[in-house]
Amino acid sequence: MLTEGGDALAALLDPRPVTTIRWGLDRIEALLAELGRPERSFDALHIAGTNGKGSTARFAASMLEDGGTCTGLYTSPHLEDVRERFLIDGAWVEEAALQAAAARVIGCDAAAACTYFELATALAFTCFAECGVEMAVVETGLGGRLDATNVLRPVGTAITPISLDHTEWLGGSPEAIAREKGGIFKPGAPACLGRIDPGPRAALEQIARDVGSPVARLGQDAEVSEVVVRTDPVGTRFRYVSTPRPDGVRLATGLPGRHQADNAALALLLLDCSGYPPEESSARRGIARARLAGRFEVRPPGAGRPGRVFDIAHNPAAMGVLCETLAELSLPRPIVAVAGMLADKDWKGTLARLALDSDTMILTRSDVPAERRWDPSRAREWLSRERGVESIVCRNVAEAVSRGLTLASAGTLLVTGSATTVGEARALPELARVRTGDG
C-alpha cells in the first residue's frame, strides 16, 4: 500500500519476487491499456537474443543520443540498483519522474496481477512517454514471443547470438529458442540478425518471411573486419562495411572483445535499416562512449590491489567469450576467479570452461531465492572428480572477494557468473568506485 509521500518505486517492485515467470501478454496488455497505452507514444527498437543484447541495446541508444534523438533505454537485469534499468539519454530517470510514474502504475487495478518484470516494463514505458522520449531501445527479458516487452510495435528488431539458456521455458534446442526469440518480428519492421549458427538462423529467417519482415544479416549484409582488442586503453577497434555503408567506417569502443565489435556492428545495422541512420560522426562517438556495467568491466590495479574484471557470464557461450577476451588482453596473472552461479543454469559447462583459463577458482553464492540457490560445495566436488580441478568454497560473495584479493596479489581478480554475484561484488567497499549518474 502506497501512503502519501511514500516511496512509490519501492511499493511497486519491492514486494514482488524478481524471479517469478508467468507466460502470456494478457496482464501487461491490460495494465498498459489502463495506463493509456504509453508504449505507443514513441518509436521503438526491440532486441532479443541469448548473449549480447544488453550491449547491442546500449550501442544503439548511445548513437541515437549523440545524434540528438531523445532516447530511452530499458534493459535487465540490474546489478545494484533497479534504477539502472531505466535510462533516458544515458542517465538514470530523474527521481521525481520515476516516482510519479511508479505511483501511476501502482494505482492501476491491473497492477495487482502482474509480475515484477511486467510492472518494471510498464514503468519504463510510462516514464518514457511522460518524459518525451522519441525512441526507446528495449531489451527483452526472457525469450521474445511471450516476453512482456513484446507489446511494442517496433520500427526495427534485432536478434543477437543464440545458445542454450532458459531451456525449461524456451525449449531444448537452439532452433526452438530461436523460434521464441523471433516472436518479436513485426510486419514491415526490419529484422537484423547477428552471428547466429545456421540452424537457428534458418528458423529466424523463416519466421521473418512468414511475418513479412525484411532481413539483414551480420556476416552477409554487413561485415566486421580488422578487429584489434586493446589493453591500453582497454577497448576494441574494427572496420565496419554494410550494404547501407559500402565505403565502410572505422570504429572503436571502450568495451573489450571481438564480440563487442559484432554487437556494435549489429546496433549500427539496426539503426541503418530502421530509418534512423546516424551520421558517421554520431556512430563513431556513440559507439566510443557506450559503457555497460558488468560486461568485461575492467578496473586497473592500484594501491596494492590487483586489477579487477567484472563480467556476467552465466552460460557456457558467455563464458567462452569471456575467456577468449581474457586471453586476448593478456591480463596479469594469476587470474583468480570468483564465480557464483544459479541452480537453474548450466553451471557445469560454464565452470568447466572457466577452469581452463583461470589459475584459482573460488566458488560462492549470492543472495537469491532458495529455488535458484546453487550449492558451491557440490560444484567443487564435481570439478575435482570430473575435471581434476581443485577450487575453494566461500559462504558468500564478500568472503570470496576478500579471499580473492589476497590470492590475486599483483594479478587479476575476476568476478563472474550470475548478475547477482557481479552486482554484490561491485557494491563491496573494497571494490566499489565513485559512481556516475547512470550507475
Side-chain angles (χ1 to χ4, degrees):
M1 179 67 68
L2 177 63
T3 59
E4 185 175 353
D7 186 338
L9 182 63
L12 179 68
L13 296 179
D14 282 359
R16 310 279 173 147
V18 178
T19 56
T20 298
I21 297 172
R22 294 205 300 272
W23 280 133
L25 299 179
D26 292 347
R27 293 177 301 277
I28 185 69
E29 291 278 14
L31 179 55
L32 292 171
E34 196 172 344
L35 288 165
R37 287 291 172 189
E39 80 282 6
R40 296 183 186 174
S41 70
F42 46 77
D43 284 344
L45 299 172
H46 203 187
I47 300 172
T50 305
N51 296 311
K53 58 184 184 289
S55 298
T56 301
R58 194 60 176 257
F59 283 125
S62 188
M63 286 186 278
L64 287 164
E65 292 156 12
D66 190 89
T69 300
C70 183
T71 305
L73 176 63
Y74 177 50
T75 60
S76 60
H78 61 273
L79 296 182
E80 299 176 50
D81 193 308
V82 71
R83 292 164 179 81
E84 298 166 26
R85 297 177 181 234
F86 318 105
L87 302 185
I88 296 179
D89 287 341
W92 290 6
V93 175
E94 292 185 3
E95 184 69 16
L98 189 62
Q99 291 289 348
R104 280 202 61 199
V105 175
I106 204 172
C108 293
D109 292 338
C114 289
T115 65
Y116 181 102
F117 187 71
E118 290 164 347
L119 293 173
T121 299
L123 176 59
F125 295 164
T126 301
C127 279
F128 294 165
E130 294 183 349
C131 293
V133 161
E134 300 168 271
M135 171 67 85
V137 182
V138 177
E139 173 192 6
T140 61
L142 177 65
R145 182 177 64 93
L146 296 175
D147 187 82
T149 61
N150 203 27
V151 296
L152 292 168
R153 299 174 177 177
V155 297
T157 61
I159 308 289
T160 65
I162 288 172
S163 60
L164 293 178
D165 200 6
H166 298 293
T167 54
E168 70 276 26
W169 294 101
L170 304 181
S173 70
E175 291 77 14
I177 292 172
R179 285 189 284 272
E180 287 295 327
K181 296 182 185 296
I184 68 171
F185 296 163
K186 300 296 185 296
C192 299
L193 308 183
R195 293 194 196 279
I196 298 171
D197 291 338
R201 184 179 68 232
L204 290 168
E205 290 172 346
Q206 183 61 56
I207 294 169
R209 285 192 293 270
D210 293 343
V211 168
S213 181
V215 176
R217 308 161 188 83
L218 187 62
Q220 183 170 330
D221 304 291
E223 192 51 89
V224 169
S225 62
E226 301 172 33
V227 179
V228 177
V229 181
R230 306 168 295 169
T231 56
D232 186 21
V234 172
T236 308
R237 293 175 179 163
F238 61 98
R239 184 168 184 264
Y240 172 84
V241 178
S242 68
T243 302
R245 298 178 188 265
D247 294 333
V249 55
R250 294 188 181 277
L251 301 165
T253 171
L255 299 178
R258 293 177 179 272
H259 62 295
Q260 294 297 4
D262 280 353
N263 291 336
L266 181 60
L268 182 51
L269 181 64
L270 174 61
L271 294 182
D272 282 344
C273 292
S274 301
Y276 280 81
E279 297 289 337
E280 184 173 316
S281 58
S282 287
R284 288 180 186 275
R285 288 191 297 263
I287 287 173
R289 268 204 309 259
R291 295 291 186 276
L292 194 59
R295 275 67 169 188
F296 213 97
E297 179 185 0
V298 179
R299 298 183 184 174
R305 292 179 181 172
R308 288 140 289 159
V309 175
F310 303 91
D311 192 87
I312 300 169
H314 53 230
N315 57 49
M319 186 59 73
V321 169
L322 164 61
C323 291
E324 289 166 8
T325 306
L326 278 173
E328 285 202 279
L329 288 178
S330 299
L331 296 176
R333 317 255 347 174
I335 292 175
V336 177
V338 170
M341 301 294 296
L342 298 176
D344 55 355
K345 298 291 184 180
D346 179 7
W347 56 263
K348 292 180 179 178
T350 305
L351 294 181
R353 179 55 199 266
L354 180 61
L356 298 175
D357 292 85
S358 60
D359 299 299
T360 301
M361 292 178 63
I362 302 174
L363 309 178
T364 189
R365 65 184 181 192
S366 53
D367 184 16
V368 296
E371 65 271 15
R372 303 196 78 192
R373 198 175 298 153
W374 80 316
D375 183 352
S377 295
R378 179 184 169 207
R380 177 179 59 186
E381 293 169 3
W382 180 85
L383 281 167
S384 178
R385 182 179 67 251
E386 300 295 332
R387 291 292 186 270
V389 174
E390 298 305 318
S391 55
I392 300 166
V393 170
C394 290
R395 58 186 175 179
N396 55 46
V397 172
E399 182 181 299
V401 164
S402 177
R403 185 78 177 271
L405 286 170
T406 300
L407 292 174
S409 184
T412 302
L413 176 68
L414 166 66
V415 181
T416 188
S418 69
T420 52
T421 299
V422 173
E424 286 182 29
R426 287 179 84 250
L428 291 170
E430 57 266 45
L431 296 185
R433 65 181 177 189
V434 177
R435 291 191 297 216
T436 59
D438 65 358

